[in-house]
Amino acid sequence: MAARPSRRRTATLALTLLGCLALPHVPVLLTSRTAPAVIYHNGVVLTMDQTRPHAQAIATSRDRITAVGDDEEVLPLADRVTRLVDLGGRTVLPGFIDSHAHWIGDGQLVGLSPEQAVEAALRRGWTSINEQFVDMPRLNRLRELDASGALRVRVNAYLPLNFTDDKFTWFLDHEPRYTYSSHLRVAGVKLFLDHDWGTDFHWDQVELDTFVLAAHRNGWQVSAHAVSARAHDQYLTSIARALAAHPDPDARHRVEHVVQLRDDQLARMRELGMIASIQPGLVGASVTEQGFSELVARGDPKWIARWRDLVDSGVRAIGSSDMPWLVLGLGSHATDLPHGSPLEAVHQAVTQRLTVDQALRMFTVDAAYGTFEEDVKGSLVPGKYADLVVLAENPTTAVSLPDVGVLATIVGGKVEHCADPVLCR
Ligand SMILES: [Zn+2]
């Protein structure tokens, strides 16, 4: 559903290969009969694409990136109607992807209407958000927002199996990865395994096996809230059984939170090709909670927040804000949402031993993999959506990551947030 016309894609690939292998100074660009609508130039472009990690300029047409390269490569593509935007040395990254949040679904808990929640996300640099609890009424509301043009950020919906008024199997009436529009898509199912720091469990193993298998067999990506090591034991067992019954080397089932994890569980996650969906701000925000310290005491302190171990061992990690629940946990309010910021989340990840580059990947290119959307987002490559964020500083060299300003957020080539008029005329 997210696939592009194959001829364009072939052209991209051919030129990408040409650019990489034979002619390193040829810009990576799509063949296009028309000049770009916009060229952003004179910038520090961190593409998050390993074949060309650094560039100066990006060209866009309609909702897509059409070229990425140095100024001397991209600027000649302009014609007299192309809008030239001088970045003045500012940094451009792929738009940030919030892999686990409840911006719209629970925004009212911090006083945000759905429209205000969308605006709040865009202001912080998110171009995509995964809404992790979208029951039937919420799905209908997202569809209404989308139809009215108010869904200015891209949303991936995860449909809950438990803690919903809908019957457990309601998701089977839907189609996995169904795309309502370029801004609204059903990504997977969500289930909750434990609550209250691993003292409250919601499934017995047979039940869990049954529902995980039903979802897996029907092509759904499963996303499960698991905090304690015991919850991981349950979930990993169900996933292993589902994969044994219906092998799929690319199922990409997800664990949400992954707070407490033993070595053997980490190895099993890797073997099963699972994704660790983590909130770098969660552990720092929780250290004063009694339930959290009791969870730590029930195991080895080394089992907590193993983000770096996961990444180093080859498990794909994706990052998120868990808005507004982290903020609520901190007793904060809507006008003060530090943990709603990707830069704050990157900062938290770095304080927990990840490198800035590893952390940025969790919020861009790896996050796109987390929803099977690496073909259309997550890095700045011709053919992908023109989802960009312009930052006041380069996060890889900034002294204080949380203070890096978000100057513009661009979704599908459209400037949806602008804090610097020079960039948005
Ligand atoms: Zn959540």
Side-chain angles (χ1 to χ4, degrees):
M1 269 156 289
R4 295 297 106 207
S6 59
R7 219 188 303 152
R8 273 183 99 191
R9 185 142 174 70
T10 308
T12 315
L13 278 174
L15 282 161
T16 302
L17 288 172
L18 198 64
C20 302
L21 301 177
L23 299 162
H25 299 297
V26 168
V28 181
L29 63 107
L30 276 174
T31 47
S32 170
R33 262 169 278 160
T34 53
V38 186
I39 293 178
Y40 297 91
H41 64 101
N42 188 29
V44 175
V45 180
L46 306 180
T47 66
M48 304 309 290
D49 169 36
Q50 280 174 342
T51 61
R52 182 163 197 163
H54 300 281
Q56 291 177 303
I58 298 183
T60 69
S61 276
R62 294 185 294 278
D63 66 345
R64 301 284 163 166
I65 296 167
T66 55
V68 177
D70 292 335
D71 285 353
E72 64 203 36
E73 299 166 327
V74 178
L75 281 170
L77 304 174
D79 70 7
R80 57 193 171 76
V81 294
T82 301
R83 189 164 68 89
L84 300 181
V85 179
D86 186 348
L87 292 163
R90 296 178 186 88
T91 296
V92 178
L93 274 156
F96 291 112
I97 300 169
D98 199 349
S99 290
H100 176 130
H102 313 261
W103 282 97
I104 298 168
D106 292 324
Q108 79 280 4
L109 298 175
V110 286
L112 298 176
S113 69
E115 291 83 358
Q116 290 169 327
V118 167
E119 177 66 25
L122 290 166
R123 289 180 74 84
R124 285 161 179 77
W126 302 112
T127 54
S128 292
I129 57 177
N130 292 355
E131 285 279 308
Q132 276 285 324
F133 191 101
V134 178
D135 58 12
M136 199 65 215
R138 288 182 176 190
L139 184 59
N140 288 335
R141 189 168 58 176
L142 286 170
R143 291 180 64 183
E144 286 165 20
L145 285 168
D146 187 35
S148 71
L151 209 58
R152 296 154 52 215
V153 67
R154 300 188 201 278
V155 173
N156 267 298
Y158 282 83
L159 315 184
L161 268 65
N162 52 345
F163 292 96
T164 165
D165 292 335
D166 306 305
K167 66 182 186 331
F168 269 29
T169 52
W170 76 285
F171 68 94
L172 292 173
D173 298 335
H174 294 265
E175 189 185 319
R177 298 185 225 163
Y178 183 76
T179 303
Y180 285 101
S181 76
S182 61
H183 281 52
L184 180 60
R185 178 174 179 270
V186 171
V189 294
K190 167 76 179 290
L191 53 87
F192 296 88
L193 291 167
D194 62 343
H195 272 114
D196 297 331
W197 299 112
T199 54
D200 191 11
F201 288 82
H202 307 307
W203 305 79
D204 67 36
Q205 191 69 52
V206 174
E207 272 179 336
L208 186 64
D209 288 354
T210 303
F211 280 95
V212 166
L213 178 60
H216 171 74
R217 195 176 50 203
N218 284 284
W220 289 89
Q221 182 190 38
V222 181
S223 150
H225 169 120
V227 167
S228 61
R230 187 179 145 192
H232 286 89
D233 277 335
Q234 265 199 323
Y235 185 45
L236 294 172
T237 297
S238 290
I239 292 290
R241 287 176 178 165
L243 285 167
H246 283 270
D248 178 355
D250 199 26
R252 307 189 196 182
H253 295 310
R254 304 170 39 150
V255 190
E256 307 302 316
H257 308 306
V258 210
V259 174
Q260 186 183 49
L261 198 69
R262 300 187 310 266
D263 285 346
D264 61 298
Q265 293 175 321
L266 194 153
R268 211 158 167 217
M269 277 185 70
R270 187 184 57 236
E271 283 160 23
L272 298 171
M274 296 176 72
I275 292 173
S277 169
I278 66 174
Q279 298 74 42
L282 176 67
V283 169
S286 308
V287 285
T288 55
E289 282 188 40
Q290 191 183 342
F292 178 73
S293 50
E294 287 169 4
L295 174 78
V296 177
R298 285 198 297 277
D300 185 323
K302 290 203 276 301
W303 297 350
I304 302 294
R306 306 187 63 177
W307 325 139
R308 177 68 191 246
D309 295 343
L310 283 158
V311 171
D312 285 351
S313 73
V315 173
R316 196 84 66 132
I318 60 179
S320 59
S321 71
D322 206 3
M323 267 292 297
W325 288 97
L326 268 182
V327 175
L328 289 166
L330 289 170
S332 196
H333 54 84
T335 54
D336 174 22
L337 304 175
H339 291 281
S341 154
L343 280 314
E344 170 69 24
V346 168
H347 165 71
Q348 293 283 341
V350 170
T351 63
Q352 292 167 39
R353 298 194 296 123
L354 287 162
T355 67
V356 176
D357 190 58
Q358 286 173 328
L360 290 173
R361 288 183 64 85
M362 290 197 323
F363 292 92
T364 54
V365 65
D366 287 345
Y369 175 89
T371 51
F372 293 86
E373 290 180 292
E374 65 271 26
D375 285 351
V376 289
K377 56 170 87 159
S379 61
L380 303 178
V381 174
K384 291 196 182 188
Y385 283 133
D387 290 0
L388 326 171
V389 62
V390 183
L391 303 176
E393 286 177 87
N394 180 343
T396 65
T397 53
V399 176
S400 173
L401 281 162
D403 295 321
V404 172
V406 177
L407 303 179
T409 307
I410 297 154
V411 184
K414 188 172 173 201
V415 179
E416 293 286 9
H417 160 69
C418 185
D420 184 341
V422 173
L423 299 172
C424 318
R425 270 199 297 265

